[in-house]
Every structure is written in structure tokens, then in C-alpha cells.
């Protein structure tokens, strides 16, 4: 009888412990993608004057800072664009090279250097989100430079009745746009794609030279 009582007590105690374990709430497990997204969010570097602010005020501070920097950059571009154009034209005249080729090589390095540096910084993080942001930034810059700027250029020619001598350059720009658009639609970018995109820069200059040799102005 004593053994039976001991066995019954052991069974009751084991039942109580099992019930207690089932009653305890299990700690929620976060999906892997949430952990990765949180880790990626932490990678973003904010300025010191914004990082210490509460989350509710960060968006306003980021928007205010962005608008201020855009306004300063726009004013700087308006001030220095005309002197830079004169310098490039004079440089081409002194070295005996068409000003177009000088501006085609030096102007992108000066105007798009910051975007190239930002894209390199994002790509160096080696995460999918950062690489996607870098590619999107470069595609956006290409669309703005080769559509909005080209539209302004065409409008100036139309309204000021300027002579059209840019057929070769326009064909080169549009050809590069179409090629890069097809590459940009790929979901996976490889190192070979990067080399091919990099080769578009000298190839576009060569295309202009060939078209001008053929007779297109």
C-alpha cells in the first residue's frame, strides 16, 4: 500500500509539473526576415543631431535637413554652372579637342561624383537592401540626367531657335538608356553586369565619334 501511495504521489507531481509547463506562455519567435530587417535598419547612419531625437521627431528632422541640403545644392549649381561651362569650353579649345568630349568626360565626374560615392558606400555594406538602394539611386540619377536634363536642353533649342547639331550625341545617350534599362530590369546583378555597365561610358564616346565620322552632326 505504501508503494502504491508513493507511485500515486509521483504521478500527481509529474502531472502538476507538466500542467505548469503548458500554462507558461512561450516566448514569441521572430521570423528570420524580421531579424534581418531590424539588423539592416540599425545599419543606417544618422547625423548626430538627429540620432539622439525620439523616433516621433526623426522623420521631421530628416525631411527638414534633406530640404535644406537640396536648397543649398540647387543654389550652388546655379552659381557655378555657367563658370564651369566656360572653363570646359576653354579647356577644349586650348588642348585642341572638341568641347563636347571634354565635357562628356569631366562633367559627369564633377556632377555625379557624390551619387557614385553614395552608391559605393551602400554597396560596401554587402546586404540586399543596401545594394538595392544603391542601384535604385543610380537608376534614378540616370533617368533624371538623361530625360529631365535632355528635355530642358531640347526646350532651349526650340524656344531660342538654335541650330541642331547634336544628332550623334542624342543617339548615343538614348542607346545607352535603352541598354541600361534592360539591365536594370534584371532581378540579380552580377559582376559581369557591372563591367558591362562601366564599359558603356567609353563606348558611348566611341559611338559619338563614329557617328560624326559618318556625317551625323
Amino acid at each position: 500500500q505504501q508503494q502504491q501511495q508513493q507511485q500515486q504521489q509521483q504521478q500527481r507531481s509529474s502531472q502538476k509539473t507538466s500542467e505548469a509547463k503548458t500554462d507558461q506562455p512561450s516566448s514569441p519567435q521572430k521570423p528570420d526576415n524580421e531579424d534581418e530587417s531590424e539588423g539592416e535598419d540599425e545599419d543606417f547612419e544618422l547625423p548626430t543631431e538627429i540620432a539622439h531625437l525620439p523616433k516621433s521627431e526623426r522623420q521631421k528632422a530628416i525631411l527638414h535637413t534633406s530640404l535644406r541640403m537640396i536648397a543649398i545644392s540647387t543654389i550652388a549649381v546655379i552659381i557655378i554652372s555657367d563658370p564651369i561651362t566656360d572653363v570646359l569650353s576653354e579647356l577644349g579649345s586650348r588642348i585642341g579637342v572638341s568641347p563636347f568630349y571634354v565635357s562628356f568626360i569631366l562633367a559627369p565626374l564633377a556632377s555625379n561624383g557624390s551619387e557614385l560615392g553614395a552608391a559605393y558606400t551602400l554597396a560596401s555594406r554587402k546586404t540586399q537592401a543596401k545594394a538595392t538602394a544603391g542601384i535604385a539611386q543610380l537608376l534614378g540619377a540616370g533617368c533624371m540626367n538623361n530625360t529631365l536634363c535632355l528635355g530642358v536642353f531640347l526646350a532651349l533649342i526650340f524656344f531660342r531657335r538654335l541650330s541642331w547639331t547634336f544628332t550623334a550625341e542624342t543617339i548615343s545617350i538614348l542607346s545607352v538608356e535603352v541598354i541600361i534599362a534592360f539591365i536594370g530590369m534584371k532581378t540579380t546583378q552580377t559582376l559581369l553586369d557591372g563591367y558591362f555597365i562601366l564599359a558603356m561610358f567609353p563606348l558611348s564616346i566611341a559611338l559619338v565619334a563614329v557617328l560624326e565620322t559618318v556625317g551625323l552632326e
Side-chain angles (χ1 to χ4, degrees), residues 109 111-124 134 137-138:
L109 298 177
S111 60
N112 299 327
S114 60
E115 296 167 352
L116 181 61
Y120 176 79
T121 302
L122 292 172
S124 62
Q137 182 180 7
L138 293 177

Side-chain angles (χ1 to χ4, degrees), residues 90-110:
E90 184 65 22
L91 179 62
S93 300
R94 292 190 179 187
I95 63 178
V97 179
S98 174
F100 167 76
Y101 294 106
V102 177
S103 61
F104 207 90
I105 296 173
L106 298 180
L109 298 177

Side-chain angles (χ1 to χ4, degrees), residues 53-202:
L53 295 176
K55 291 184 177 180
S56 58
E57 299 180 3
R58 284 183 186 176
Q59 294 297 328
K60 293 181 180 179
I62 292 173
L63 179 61
H64 183 268
T65 303
S66 302
L67 293 176
R68 185 176 71 251
M69 294 179 67
I70 290 173
I72 295 173
S73 301
T74 304
I75 294 172
V77 169
I78 293 173
I79 294 174
I80 68 174
S81 60
D82 192 34
I84 286 180
T85 303
D86 296 336
V87 169
L88 294 177
S89 299
E90 184 65 22
L91 179 62
S93 300
R94 292 190 179 187
I95 63 178
V97 179
S98 174
F100 167 76
Y101 294 106
V102 177
S103 61
F104 207 90
I105 296 173
L106 298 180
L109 298 177
S111 60
N112 299 327
S114 60
E115 296 167 352
L116 181 61
Y120 176 79
T121 302
L122 292 172
S124 62
R125 301 293 181 84
K126 296 182 179 181
T127 60
Q128 184 176 2
K130 298 297 189 300
T132 303
I135 293 174
Q137 182 180 7
L138 293 177
L139 289 175
C143 291
M144 183 188 70
N145 291 337
N146 295 329
T147 54
L148 177 62
C149 297
L150 182 61
V152 173
F153 175 69
L154 296 177
L156 288 174
I157 292 177
F158 177 77
F159 289 107
R160 294 196 175 186
R161 305 297 181 182
L162 301 177
S163 60
W164 176 259
T165 59
F166 307 99
T167 303
E169 292 83 354
T170 304
I171 292 175
S172 176
I173 291 173
L174 294 178
S175 300
V176 173
E177 280 188 355
V178 173
I179 295 172
I180 299 301
F182 281 107
I183 298 176
M185 289 188 291
K186 293 178 60 177
T187 57
T188 303
Q189 304 291 335
T190 62
L191 185 60
L192 182 61
D193 295 330
Y195 286 130
F196 185 74
I197 293 172
L198 186 62
M200 288 292 100
F201 185 57

